[in-house]
Amino acid sequence: MPRWVAVVLGVGSGAVLTLPALFLAFVSAGGGHGDYFFARLLFPYAMLVTRMTHDTIGLASLAMAVAQLPIEGGVAGVAWGGRGPWVVGAAITGVAVGAHVVAFWMCGSLRYL
């Protein structure tokens, strides 16, 4: 499969998953009275930005949340769509997943500071 096809499939998959993920994040927010678990789990980078905006979810956070999954899908497409060894795709994916997990952990840790 050509790399550009893998990238388009990755970005498209991320775009399709964004709406259900945003719905889960919205439900877990509970109108501002929830625990934000799914928001922190699915969109940790956007939730980290809220720490700089006095814990408000503004336009920047929302834009990051909408763009995050398509970007991550595109990165996966680049990683797995090439003709290189599968270990390269696995390594890039592992780093991306690790960064996501660390950001999620930071969201939980920074809540109490």
Side-chain angles (χ1 to χ4, degrees):
M1 165 182 348
R3 182 171 296 206
W4 70 269
V5 172
V7 171
V8 168
L9 287 174
V11 170
S13 298
V16 167
L17 292 173
T18 295
L19 192 57
L22 283 171
F23 177 76
L24 280 174
F26 178 75
V27 169
S28 73
H33 300 288
D35 63 1
Y36 291 89
F37 175 76
F38 283 110
R40 290 183 285 124
L41 177 66
L42 299 170
F43 305 109
Y45 308 115
M47 294 304 290
L48 284 173
V49 169
T50 64
R51 295 297 295 174
M52 294 183 280
T53 59
H54 306 291
D55 292 329
T56 59
I57 299 173
L59 187 59
S61 295
L62 188 57
M64 284 182 70
V66 169
Q68 178 183 318
L69 293 178
I71 289 171
E72 287 177 346
V75 168
V78 167
W80 290 97
R83 298 194 190 280
W86 67 269
V87 106
V88 173
I92 292 171
T93 303
V95 168
V97 168
H100 194 100
V101 168
V102 167
F104 172 66
W105 173 78
M106 287 176 65
C107 285
S109 297
L110 295 176
R111 278 192 324 172
Y112 303 108
L113 295 179

